């Protein structure tokens, strides 16, 4: 019985981690071999992250693959110029969107450099 009671907190933590919630920015599903994007735009005040609302995504949308970028940017209205990274289990890519030219560029990152690129981007944007 004591062993079962000791497993209860672990079970509750796993259930909590598997549950997504728009007000809680963590779930195990966010980290389960899916591809994520970190996108930002340049403003007069410096770079700032692009919001879910600007992209037409729900707050619990964690998956963004290179093939989705053209479709996503083509569907959203009045997007500013966007720069960013997409990182996943199959590699990483830089992303650039220029609304004036309707141009989307997705370039693969060298293998193994994804986290260094993400760290640099996060330091710059946040």
């Amino acid at each position: 019985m004591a062993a079962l009671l000791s497993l209860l907190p672990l079970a509750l933590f796993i259930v909590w981690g598997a549950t997504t919630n728009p007000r809680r920015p963590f779930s195990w599903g966010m980290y389960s071999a899916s591809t994520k994007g970190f996108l930002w735009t340049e403003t007069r005040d410096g770079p700032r992250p692009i919001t879910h609302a600007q992209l037409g995504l729900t707050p619990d949308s964690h998956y963004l693959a290179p093939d989705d970028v053209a479709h996503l940017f083509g569907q959203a209205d009045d997007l500013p110029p966007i720069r960013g990274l997409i990182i996943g289990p199959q590699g990483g890519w830089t992303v650039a969107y220029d609304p004036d030219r309707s141009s989307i560029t997705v370039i693969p990152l060298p293998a193994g450099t994804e986290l260094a690129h993400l760290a640099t981007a996060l330091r710059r944007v946040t």
Side-chain angles (χ1 to χ4, degrees), residues 98-118:
D98 183 351
D100 294 334
R101 296 187 312 177
S102 297
S103 165
I104 300 166
T105 306
V106 179
I107 301 171
L109 293 171
T113 65
E114 297 90 350
L115 292 180
H117 280 87
L118 179 59

Side-chain angles (χ1 to χ4, degrees), residues 8-76:
L8 182 61
L10 177 62
L12 291 173
F13 181 71
I14 290 171
V15 169
W16 175 82
T19 305
T20 60
N21 180 327
R23 290 175 213 80
R24 184 169 50 94
F26 173 81
S27 77
W28 298 119
M30 290 174 61
Y31 302 100
S32 60
S34 62
T35 304
K36 284 111 182 130
F38 176 60
L39 306 174
W40 66 88
T41 188
E42 301 289 334
T43 67
R44 286 183 294 207
D45 299 328
R48 67 169 179 75
I50 295 291
T51 66
H52 286 94
Q54 285 177 288
L55 294 174
L57 298 173
T58 61
D60 62 346
S61 295
H62 306 294
Y63 186 81
L64 182 63
D67 294 339
D68 300 326
V69 171
H71 178 72
L72 179 65
F73 291 172
Q75 297 292 332

Side-chain angles (χ1 to χ4, degrees), residues 2-12:
L4 287 176
L5 286 176
S6 66
L7 291 177
L8 182 61
L10 177 62
L12 291 173

